[in-house]
Amino acid sequence: MDFELSDVQRDLRESTRKLCQGFDSHYWRRIDGEKIFPEEFAKACATAGIPGTMLPVELGGVGLRVTEAALVLQEIAASDGGLDACSVVHMGMFGLNPVLVHGTEEQKQAYLPRAARGELNSCFLVTEPDAGVDTTRITTTARREGDDYVVTGRKVWISRAAQAEYGLLLCRTQPYSAVSRKTDGMTLLFIPMRVPEIVITEIPKMGRNGVSSNEVVIDGLRVPVSCRIGVEGHGFRHLLDGINPERIMIAAEAVGLGLNVIRRAAAYAQHRVVFGRPIGQNQGVQLPLADAYSQLKAAELATYEAAWRYDSGLDCGAQANMAKLRATEAAHYAVNIAFETFGGYGYAKEYDIERFYRQLPLTRVAPVTNNLTKAFIATQVLGLPKSY
């Protein structure tokens, strides 16, 4: 691995930073407070080509890789928008990767150029109320009737469902009881979202308010077989081409947000004077900040190793999960240390720490909980008996 950024990567990071500087804390506090989608930021990202970072040039994209997408998202997370800003674009990066890898040429031409231009909003329909991280237990079904599928089921915690034109849906085309391997019998469909058969209800939540989270109920939606992505029954395996990049990108976002709050806390500690001296002169303040920073930098290395492996065509499941685990835990520690450094002012909206504090916990439980990630590492890497 070469740890030096290429000229392309350096320019990409700098252009992303400049774009984000056009949307300051006042803008993002309004987005958070009013719970509205950041349309202006989304349009700026589309103009800059960010949604098409990973899409091929011939499909209107920039033609870069997961590594560059992670760099972009880390930079966005380190801006005043934090995870609200990241949520505007990251679905368009990892969520459509299964379409790029497993879709037909007609599907790619129909959807991906529009996605690259930021014109096609989509969502990722996987999680269910009673299936959570146990994805194999989903009960949303697609019943084959001639040249159509008839879809019925319920999904939950679906980001951007209210804004989405299409959704990448994981459903069962064979019952769980009828398959020999529990990951078999699931299929990916790219379905329209703005139809009468789909009811979307927003879920009020504590943070990341710029992008809605929703319950989605699907009742008898009929879609043509041409909506299927890849092979029937192989949907879970196809989904991995979105899941592993998602873990890598979430890790990059956590690192970016964590570094942001630590830099803010360090700057505050230099200027906040108590008992006649800056609080940053006290080791009780210095050492936790240094500890948090070093943990984030270690997590950053794990993140880009996972990205490098994915881009190199190597197995990266363990690395992607470990990067997500270490980055989100490091960021959680960092935001707590930043909050303590600011003291009472950490509670004030004008310093933004409380806003980042409310955004961060989601990364520890989504798209997979950190405890389940540890269980995966224990069984898949260390060879211990499966506990789930």
Side-chain angles (χ1 to χ4, degrees):
M1 293 178 65
D2 184 354
F3 294 98
E4 183 68 27
L5 295 182
S6 68
D7 289 342
V8 169
Q9 291 170 336
R10 196 176 295 108
D11 290 345
L12 185 64
R13 188 174 65 175
E14 184 60 30
S15 63
T16 303
R17 182 177 301 165
K18 287 181 179 178
L19 183 152
C20 292
Q21 287 171 349
F23 301 88
D24 62 12
S25 289
H26 296 288
Y27 175 81
W28 290 108
R29 287 177 208 148
R30 180 175 65 85
I31 295 296
D32 177 66
E34 297 179 15
K35 298 179 175 58
I36 54 176
F37 184 75
E39 293 284 358
E40 302 85 356
F41 180 75
K43 289 177 181 177
C45 288
T47 300
I50 288 177
T53 299
M54 288 173 52
L55 295 176
V57 173
E58 58 269 25
L59 291 173
V62 184
L64 298 176
R65 309 165 301 164
V66 168
T67 296
E68 287 76 32
L71 282 167
V72 167
L73 288 167
Q74 181 175 338
E75 199 61 48
I76 293 174
S79 75
D80 289 342
L83 299 189
D84 269 342
C86 290
S87 298
V88 172
V89 294
H90 70 187
M91 168 59 199
M93 291 182 173
F94 72 80
L96 294 180
N97 212 40
V99 179
L100 174 63
V101 177
H102 301 287
T104 65
E105 190 59 33
E106 291 77 13
Q107 289 168 336
K108 294 175 189 178
Q109 292 294 338
Y111 303 124
L112 298 184
R114 291 185 59 214
R117 296 192 297 269
E119 297 172 1
L120 187 146
N121 289 326
S122 58
C123 61
F124 213 41
L125 296 149
V126 177
T127 310
E128 296 188 3
D130 298 318
V133 294
D134 189 1
T135 305
T136 61
R137 292 287 190 174
I138 63 170
T139 57
T140 296
T141 59
R143 185 181 72 257
R144 184 74 179 261
E145 289 189 0
D147 292 332
D148 293 337
Y149 287 106
V150 180
V151 183
T152 298
R154 188 158 62 117
K155 299 290 182 177
V156 73
W157 294 113
I158 308 304
S159 298
R160 295 190 64 181
Q163 288 82 32
E165 182 181 350
Y166 286 91
L168 188 64
L169 172 78
L170 184 69
C171 55
R172 276 214 166 271
T173 44
Q174 281 184 284
Y176 182 89
S177 58
V179 296
S180 55
R181 290 195 306 175
K182 64 182 184 179
T183 54
D184 287 345
M186 290 183 280
T187 300
L188 283 178
L189 302 176
F190 201 53
I191 64 170
M193 295 295 294
R194 299 171 186 172
V195 292
E197 295 88 351
I198 293 181
V199 177
I200 299 170
T201 305
E202 185 172 352
I203 302 170
K205 58 188 190 297
M206 83 179 216
R208 210 187 63 154
N209 289 316
V211 174
S212 65
S213 297
N214 306 273
E215 179 187 53
V216 177
V217 177
I218 308 169
D219 186 10
L221 173 66
R222 184 178 289 271
V223 295
V225 172
S226 59
C227 288
R228 188 181 67 222
I229 304 298
V231 179
E232 180 173 304
H234 292 194
F236 185 83
R237 272 162 275 174
H238 298 336
L239 192 67
L240 293 178
D241 284 297
I243 286 177
N244 284 330
E246 180 183 27
R247 280 153 174 65
I248 294 166
M249 293 179 198
I250 292 294
E253 292 174 17
V255 168
L257 182 61
L259 291 173
N260 179 14
V261 297
I262 289 303
R263 291 183 181 121
R264 286 169 180 254
Y268 179 80
Q270 287 191 31
H271 299 104
R272 173 64 169 159
V273 175
V274 179
F275 298 119
R277 55 193 273 166
I279 62 172
Q281 192 173 344
N282 301 317
Q283 287 190 347
V285 174
Q286 287 183 355
L287 303 189
L289 289 171
D291 192 26
Y293 181 80
S294 64
Q295 288 183 28
L296 288 163
K297 295 301 286 185
E300 185 177 46
L301 291 175
T303 299
Y304 287 101
E305 183 203 359
W308 172 80
R309 291 185 67 87
Y310 185 92
D311 291 336
S312 300
L314 302 173
D315 180 70
C316 69
Q319 289 78 12
N321 277 280
M322 288 188 288
K324 189 268 182 188
L325 171 65
R326 293 275 59 94
T328 57
E329 291 296 324
H332 180 76
Y333 177 69
V335 78
N336 276 281
I337 293 303
F339 202 105
E340 292 176 8
T341 302
F342 276 85
Y345 287 109
Y347 214 59
K349 290 186 180 295
E350 67 175 295
Y351 288 92
D352 295 304
I353 297 301
E354 64 83 29
R355 178 163 55 87
F356 299 133
Y357 192 95
R358 288 185 286 110
Q359 292 178 357
L360 200 280
L362 180 64
T363 64
R364 299 177 79 203
V365 298
V368 63
T369 68
N370 282 358
N371 278 341
L372 192 60
T373 301
K374 293 174 189 176
F376 173 88
I377 295 165
T379 57
Q380 300 299 315
V381 179
L382 300 180
L384 297 173
K386 197 166 186 179
S387 62
Y388 59 95

